[in-house]
Amino acid sequence: MKGIKILFAIAVLVLALAPVGAQDVTTVTMWFSEGSTLDCWGPLMLEFNDIDPSIQLEIVPQANAWDVTRTAVAGGGGPDVVRTPGPSFVYEMAQAGLILPMDTFAESMGWGDFFFDWALDLGLVDGQLYSLSDELETLVMYYNVEVFEENGWTPPDTMDELNALAAEVEAAGLTVFSHGNASWRPTNEHFVGEYWTQVAGPHKVYQALSGEIPWTDESLVEAIELLDAHMQAGWYGGGVDLYFTNDGVYRRTSLAEGSAAMNIEGSWAIRGTVDYFGESGMTWDWVPVPSHDGTDYYTIGMGNTSSINANSPHPEAAAQFLTWYFSPATQGKMLTNCLKGPAPVAIGADVMAELDPRIARLYAELSDASANDRYGYTTWTFWPPKSDVYIYEEVERVWTGEITAMEYSEGLQELFAEELAAGDIPPIPTR
Amino acid sequence: MAVLSQKKPTTVFEKLNDETWRRKFLRNVVIPWIFIAPLLLIHIYVVAIPAVQGVYMSLTDWKGVGMNVNYVGLENYRELFFEDETFGKALGNNVAWMIFFLTVPFIMALFCATQLAQVKRGGMLYRSILFIPYVLASVVTTTIWKNLLNPQKGIGAAMDNILGLENTFGVAYLGRPESALMSIAFIDNWHFWGFLMILFLAAMQSIPPVLYDAAKIDGANRWQEFRHVTLPGIRPILVFMFMMVAIWSFLAFDYIFLLTQGGPGGASEVIATQLYKNAFFRFQAGYGAAQGVVISIFAGFIILIFVTVKRRGWDI
């Protein structure tokens, strides 16, 4: 009888406490595009749930996460953690009051201790922190080591050396750059941004972004003319028309199998490069994109940003997740396990030592460039939205001979001046 | 007699007190509205209200996020028609698209439906085969054709190999400004024309056979049968589909966006792809809404033409 009483008392206690326990669990939601990225990132991010049982992360896979997030957030719903494709999108959402300023969280949770100073500045809108940048990116020139060795070539440092090498590559019956934009038309902007930086120099680009000089500046137009000349010469994918029909698979396979010699592409392509070269059995390596004067310039970009939804019922919990997610330990783990581009945080040397030396070198060089004034700007991170779309859409009209490089630059200048006057320019790290 | 002499209610009060009138009113007015009310409410909620909002947004500088909306009057329309050069080009592409789809699939569908209408055995198999592309998702169709039109490993390259030619058929049809739009139209038509054919075939099969017998007795040949019996017999569906295809031509989006995203250099840009980019990439949702309203006006204009023609006595 006594045993029954004890059991009854325990049951009553459990029943009484159960709802309290359920209410104590706060669920932080995050929407993520379905696919191989989520397959690798997902399990690692869910390790957050082991830390504190009272805050649980829920990842909701979506067919196209950004489109549905934007629609839902604009309608007063959406996930607690809002991921956007870049700072220019953050700017619009912050202006509309759809995301929260996070300065108090940054201070109380010590985000400044592990983020680089300039990286936190990227998330500022009207002086307040609205987003944290993720996936540090740059563009480099990948090349097929065996193809270079067989032909006795060395990777070029300058545009002149690239010119000379390209002639030899073509004479050998190979494609200079394995490229095409059939899978992703904004690929065009990678080259526009790179040529501006490597030909005119990052300081000129900074001046233009700041409105000090126009986009019709001689050196900037010259960069577009040089890119067009290289396009017309068939360097990119074998010809202008082929460039428009070559897809992502072509880009990877032709480099990995040796029918193309090089490929100017982002650091995000490392994972695909590793996979395709793994299948072909050949070896890849990278060098900085050749510049006019031989200086190693690296354009810096951000693949994503994270913010807190203004309608989140528990922003504090969302901020705690962000603190964990952006910590050097988590970012280091995601870099080593998934080859994810790390957030701009100070990742330990021990983590980098675990990486393929080529990948470790890439991030070390990028870090060195950013510290020594050798960094440039990627268009999708630092240009306002209308100018950004113009950059990758209208440059095709230069390549198809419809307009000249100067006309293209004039059109950009007109649009950029409007956006500059309207204050729509994303934050640019001062030099 | 008493019924005949009963006074017909005229005032509202009299009508409400009249049992016959009440029943008639309930049967003819109230019950139909009760049945239609759910659909009407849904329609108002998902079509009418967003349509009115769309028209209002077209008069603003709305960016597509938040509710920071400023009324700008007809500024978006002025910019669209007098400043935006790419809009004229996109409109021209829509017209070219419409001309293509009002001719090529109609000719193919009419020809094949006429032939299949005479097939007695195995006709269903042919119809099914020709209809299959229509049930494929646009993503599947575009992926298939992207590969088939690939200049290095597609059917063009294979033909060049067989015939010993070089870059004759194996060219980048989707990568050349002069051929991109029509290549996409060709692919979309591969998917679409089977649907038209099935509609025409169904209409042809409802034509009384006695009309063909009479035509034969009168000595009509195949062309004359088609011209004087088949075409008049299917005219309502033919004209209706003409109207629908003309309207759909201004809504063309998925095949273009999946295959070229409007490129190269805007060569395959149409109004709908421009609208999408303005609304979602350039943060010009108000401007995009103005483009949407213009598409609706074009569609309304097409409907007006057909309504006018019908009122003038055409049997459509």
Side-chain angles (χ1 to χ4, degrees):
Chain A
M1 191 62 191
K2 193 179 175 185
I4 291 170
K5 278 182 181 173
I6 291 170
L7 277 174
F8 180 73
I10 291 171
V12 168
L13 195 65
V14 167
L15 285 171
L17 291 177
V20 176
Q23 280 170 359
D24 281 347
V25 175
T26 303
T27 304
V28 175
T29 52
M30 191 174 189
W31 293 359
F32 217 96
S33 287
E34 293 166 335
S36 57
T37 303
L38 178 60
D39 293 343
C40 189
W41 291 24
L44 291 173
M45 289 199 290
L46 289 174
E47 287 181 12
F48 171 75
N49 294 344
D50 301 335
I51 299 168
D52 180 357
S54 68
I55 303 176
Q56 296 292 292
L57 173 71
E58 184 190 355
I59 299 171
V60 182
Q62 301 281 1
N64 186 339
W66 169 234
D67 278 351
V68 289
T69 299
R70 174 165 51 183
T71 308
V73 172
D80 296 301
V81 176
V82 177
R83 279 167 59 82
T84 82
S88 60
F89 297 92
V90 172
Y91 179 81
E92 300 294 342
M93 296 188 101
Q95 292 277 310
L98 299 174
I99 49 178
L100 288 178
M102 304 188 290
D103 302 79
T104 49
F105 298 129
E107 200 174 329
S108 62
M109 298 185 188
W111 292 350
D113 296 342
F114 48 86
F115 266 98
F116 298 131
D117 293 340
W118 59 265
L120 276 183
D121 289 350
L122 287 179
L124 296 179
V125 177
D126 297 333
Q128 287 187 295
L129 181 68
Y130 278 93
S131 70
L132 296 175
S133 298
D134 196 4
E135 289 189 83
L136 183 60
E137 296 172 336
T138 188
L139 282 102
V140 294
M141 195 165 78
Y142 297 95
Y143 66 97
N144 187 312
V145 173
E146 277 81 3
V147 167
F148 269 63
E149 283 175 357
E150 280 166 21
N151 291 281
W153 299 329
T154 51
D157 289 326
T158 65
M159 281 289 173
D160 288 339
E161 287 175 20
L162 178 63
N163 266 319
L165 176 64
E168 290 185 46
V169 172
E170 286 186 320
L174 302 178
T175 306
V176 180
F177 296 123
S178 62
H179 266 300
N181 75 349
S183 298
W184 180 240
R185 203 169 162 210
T187 297
N188 301 341
E189 70 182 316
H190 301 168
F191 314 120
V192 176
E194 256 339 278
Y195 275 63
W196 272 333
T197 300
Q198 307 299 344
V199 177
H203 290 83
K204 281 276 184 188
V205 179
Y206 176 72
Q207 285 178 301
L209 272 173
S210 310
E212 292 169 26
I213 60 168
W215 292 101
T216 50
D217 184 87
E218 195 181 347
S219 59
L220 295 166
V221 177
E222 187 194 331
I224 301 299
E225 284 170 344
L226 188 65
L227 172 61
D228 184 40
H230 291 171
M231 270 284 171
Q232 302 306 328
W235 287 17
Y236 285 81
V240 177
D241 54 348
L242 294 176
Y243 170 82
F244 291 130
T245 52
N246 292 337
D247 59 14
V249 174
Y250 161 84
R251 279 155 60 178
R252 302 273 187 281
T253 50
S254 55
L255 182 67
E257 290 171 0
S259 60
M262 298 171 279
N263 180 0
I264 296 174
E265 205 164 356
S267 48
W268 60 84
I270 284 178
R271 192 170 172 191
T273 304
V274 168
D275 290 346
Y276 277 86
F277 271 87
E279 282 178 26
S280 73
M282 297 181 102
T283 316
W284 66 276
D285 207 342
W286 69 270
V287 289
V289 180
S291 65
H292 223 34
D293 58 6
T295 308
D296 296 344
Y297 293 121
Y298 294 83
T299 50
I300 289 179
M302 296 298 152
N304 277 292
T305 68
S306 291
S307 302
I308 299 176
N309 192 335
N311 287 307
S312 170
H314 26 65
E316 177 89 17
Q320 283 186 37
F321 165 71
L322 291 177
T323 307
W324 173 85
Y325 174 75
F326 283 102
S327 67
T330 307
Q331 290 295 314
K333 199 168 184 179
M334 295 184 82
L335 172 62
T336 48
N337 288 14
C338 303
L339 294 180
K340 169 194 173 292
V345 297
I347 293 176
D350 53 330
V351 173
M352 301 307 274
E354 285 179 36
L355 285 172
D356 179 313
R358 293 166 293 190
I359 301 170
R361 178 165 53 89
L362 192 154
Y363 288 111
E365 292 282 341
L366 181 58
S367 175
D368 187 55
S370 70
N372 292 292
D373 201 28
R374 287 187 289 108
Y375 65 90
Y377 310 90
T378 54
T379 49
W380 59 95
T381 306
F382 297 101
W383 269 252
K386 288 181 210 166
S387 297
D388 185 33
V389 175
Y390 180 94
I391 286 168
Y392 65 75
E393 291 234 313
E394 296 300 304
V395 74
E396 289 186 359
R397 295 177 66 204
V398 177
W399 298 339
T400 54
E402 210 177 315
I403 56 173
T404 64
M406 179 53 92
E407 286 168 336
Y408 170 76
S409 305
E410 285 168 352
L412 175 62
Q413 175 57 29
E414 192 181 331
L415 203 56
F416 186 83
E418 276 177 29
E419 294 190 287
L420 185 68
D424 289 345
I425 311 294
I428 307 157
T430 47
R431 305 189 80 99
Chain B
M1 203 58 200
V3 173
L4 286 173
S5 65
Q6 195 175 351
K7 190 190 167 204
K8 207 173 176 184
T10 50
T11 65
V12 175
F13 185 73
E14 282 173 348
K15 281 177 180 175
L16 288 173
N17 281 329
D18 182 76
E19 180 65 24
T20 313
W21 187 88
R22 279 210 310 270
R23 279 188 186 171
K24 205 172 168 185
F25 182 74
L26 193 70
R27 191 177 64 243
N28 292 346
V29 179
V30 177
I31 291 176
W33 274 107
I34 288 172
F35 274 99
I36 207 171
L39 192 63
L40 188 68
L41 288 173
I42 292 170
H43 184 83
I44 289 170
Y45 189 68
V46 303
V47 178
I49 293 174
V52 172
Q53 281 181 325
V55 173
Y56 171 67
M57 287 303 176
S58 75
L59 304 172
T60 70
D61 64 353
W62 189 45
K63 289 186 170 182
V65 288
M67 288 316 296
N68 186 14
V69 178
N70 298 307
Y71 179 76
V72 295
L74 296 174
E75 173 59 24
N76 287 330
Y77 294 93
R78 189 197 62 75
E79 191 179 335
L80 201 59
F81 287 107
F82 299 109
E83 273 187 21
D84 191 345
E85 291 169 14
T86 60
F87 176 72
K89 192 175 175 183
L91 180 61
N93 284 341
N94 273 109
V95 172
W97 187 271
M98 184 169 70
I99 292 168
F100 178 93
F101 276 91
L102 289 179
T103 51
V104 178
F106 277 83
I107 292 168
M108 288 172 70
L110 280 172
F111 179 76
C112 279
T114 311
Q115 302 306 310
L116 274 175
Q118 298 161 38
V119 176
K120 304 293 179 201
R121 300 182 70 182
M124 187 57 78
L125 179 69
Y126 282 112
R127 282 175 228 171
S128 303
I129 290 170
L130 295 175
F131 190 69
I132 282 173
Y134 188 72
V135 299
L136 292 178
S138 52
V139 175
V140 175
T141 305
T142 52
T143 305
I144 292 169
W145 277 99
K146 254 186 188 177
N147 285 304
L148 287 175
L149 293 184
N150 186 297
Q152 283 124 355
K153 56 189 180 190
I155 42 175
M159 282 172 69
D160 280 349
N161 275 340
I162 292 165
L163 300 171
L165 301 169
E166 198 173 328
N167 298 334
T168 305
F169 295 106
V171 294
Y173 297 101
L174 292 167
R176 294 183 171 188
E178 61 273 18
S179 61
L181 184 70
M182 284 302 118
S183 300
I184 303 166
F186 168 82
I187 294 167
D188 195 349
N189 181 46
W190 177 83
H191 141 94
F192 175 68
W193 79 276
F195 169 67
L196 265 189
M197 185 207 66
I198 293 293
L199 289 181
F200 293 158
L201 188 59
M204 284 175 192
Q205 285 171 340
S206 67
I207 298 171
V210 68
L211 294 179
Y212 288 101
D213 294 341
K216 282 194 180 89
I217 290 167
D218 288 344
N221 59 27
R222 293 286 294 276
W223 168 249
Q224 286 167 325
E225 273 182 28
F226 177 75
R227 168 78 181 78
H228 298 289
V229 180
T230 307
L231 273 186
I234 65 167
R235 191 160 67 188
I237 189 73
L238 188 66
V239 175
F240 176 73
M241 287 312 297
F242 241 76
M243 184 178 76
M244 293 309 297
V245 168
I247 292 171
W248 287 340
S249 297
F250 285 100
L251 304 177
F253 176 81
D254 54 349
Y255 280 81
I256 295 168
F257 207 76
L258 288 165
L259 286 163
T260 61
Q261 295 159 57
S268 60
E269 198 83 84
V270 290
I271 301 175
T273 53
Q274 263 194 343
L275 185 162
Y276 180 80
K277 290 172 190 172
N278 282 326
F280 297 109
F281 295 159
R282 297 188 179 98
F283 289 107
Q284 291 180 294
Y287 191 64
Q291 287 184 300
V293 171
V294 168
I295 291 176
S296 302
I297 290 170
F298 285 143
F301 187 66
I302 291 163
I303 293 169
L304 187 71
I305 291 171
F306 281 87
V307 169
T308 308
V309 168
K310 191 180 169 84
R311 281 190 177 167
R312 290 194 175 177
W314 276 48
D315 180 24
I316 55 174

